[in-house]
Short mmCIF file of all heavy atoms in Angstrom, two decimals:
data_model
loop_
_atom_site.label_atom_id
_atom_site.label_comp_id
_atom_site.label_asym_id
_atom_site.label_seq_id
_atom_site.Cartn_x
_atom_site.Cartn_y
_atom_site.Cartn_z
N LEU A 46 5.28 32.07 82.52
CA LEU A 46 5.46 32.17 83.94
C LEU A 46 5.61 30.77 84.53
O LEU A 46 4.75 29.92 84.39
CB LEU A 46 4.18 32.86 84.55
CG LEU A 46 4.25 33.09 86.05
CD1 LEU A 46 5.33 34.10 86.44
CD2 LEU A 46 2.96 33.51 86.60
N GLU A 49 10.00 28.31 90.19
CA GLU A 49 11.15 27.51 90.55
C GLU A 49 11.41 27.67 92.01
O GLU A 49 11.65 28.82 92.51
CB GLU A 49 12.36 27.94 89.69
CG GLU A 49 12.23 27.43 88.31
CD GLU A 49 13.43 27.79 87.48
OE1 GLU A 49 14.37 28.40 88.02
OE2 GLU A 49 13.38 27.49 86.31
N ALA A 120 3.23 -0.95 63.12
CA ALA A 120 4.24 -1.07 64.21
C ALA A 120 3.55 -1.07 65.54
O ALA A 120 3.94 -1.83 66.43
CB ALA A 120 5.19 0.14 64.09
N ARG A 179 -11.74 0.24 90.25
CA ARG A 179 -11.60 1.11 91.42
C ARG A 179 -11.36 0.36 92.69
O ARG A 179 -10.93 0.94 93.70
CB ARG A 179 -12.85 2.01 91.55
CG ARG A 179 -14.09 1.34 92.05
CD ARG A 179 -15.16 2.37 92.42
NE ARG A 179 -15.67 3.08 91.26
CZ ARG A 179 -16.70 2.68 90.54
NH1 ARG A 179 -17.33 1.55 90.87
NH2 ARG A 179 -17.13 3.36 89.49
N GLY A 180 -11.56 -0.94 92.70
CA GLY A 180 -11.32 -1.74 93.85
C GLY A 180 -9.98 -2.37 93.84
O GLY A 180 -9.61 -3.16 94.71
N GLU A 228 12.55 -14.77 77.48
CA GLU A 228 12.58 -16.16 77.11
C GLU A 228 11.64 -16.45 75.93
O GLU A 228 11.91 -17.33 75.15
CB GLU A 228 12.27 -17.05 78.30
CG GLU A 228 13.41 -17.16 79.29
CD GLU A 228 12.92 -17.74 80.57
OE1 GLU A 228 11.86 -18.37 80.61
OE2 GLU A 228 13.64 -17.54 81.61
N ALA A 243 17.62 -3.05 87.45
CA ALA A 243 18.07 -3.01 86.04
C ALA A 243 19.35 -3.87 85.95
O ALA A 243 19.50 -4.59 84.94
CB ALA A 243 18.36 -1.58 85.70
N LEU A 258 22.14 11.55 76.17
CA LEU A 258 22.59 10.19 76.33
C LEU A 258 24.07 10.21 76.80
O LEU A 258 24.88 10.76 76.12
CB LEU A 258 22.52 9.40 74.98
CG LEU A 258 22.91 7.94 75.05
CD1 LEU A 258 21.85 7.18 75.90
CD2 LEU A 258 22.93 7.40 73.64
N ARG A 311 44.66 -3.66 98.17
CA ARG A 311 44.51 -5.04 98.63
C ARG A 311 45.44 -5.32 99.83
O ARG A 311 45.08 -5.95 100.83
CB ARG A 311 44.79 -6.04 97.51
CG ARG A 311 44.61 -7.45 97.83
CD ARG A 311 44.94 -8.32 96.63
NE ARG A 311 43.98 -8.22 95.61
CZ ARG A 311 42.99 -9.08 95.47
NH1 ARG A 311 42.88 -10.14 96.29
NH2 ARG A 311 42.15 -9.02 94.47
N ASP A 315 44.73 -6.49 103.77
CA ASP A 315 45.28 -7.61 104.55
C ASP A 315 45.87 -7.11 105.81
O ASP A 315 45.66 -7.74 106.85
CB ASP A 315 46.45 -8.24 103.67
CG ASP A 315 45.87 -9.10 102.59
OD1 ASP A 315 44.64 -9.48 102.71
OD2 ASP A 315 46.62 -9.44 101.60
N GLU A 339 25.47 1.47 89.88
CA GLU A 339 25.30 2.73 90.58
C GLU A 339 26.56 3.55 90.53
O GLU A 339 26.44 4.78 90.35
CB GLU A 339 24.97 2.32 92.08
CG GLU A 339 24.47 3.52 92.89
CD GLU A 339 24.10 3.05 94.24
OE1 GLU A 339 23.92 1.84 94.55
OE2 GLU A 339 23.91 3.91 95.14
#
Side-chain angles (χ1 to χ4, degrees):
Chain A
L46 181 68
E49 285 181 3
R179 74 168 68 88
E228 281 165 21
L258 183 67
R311 184 180 287 263
D315 281 342
E339 191 175 347

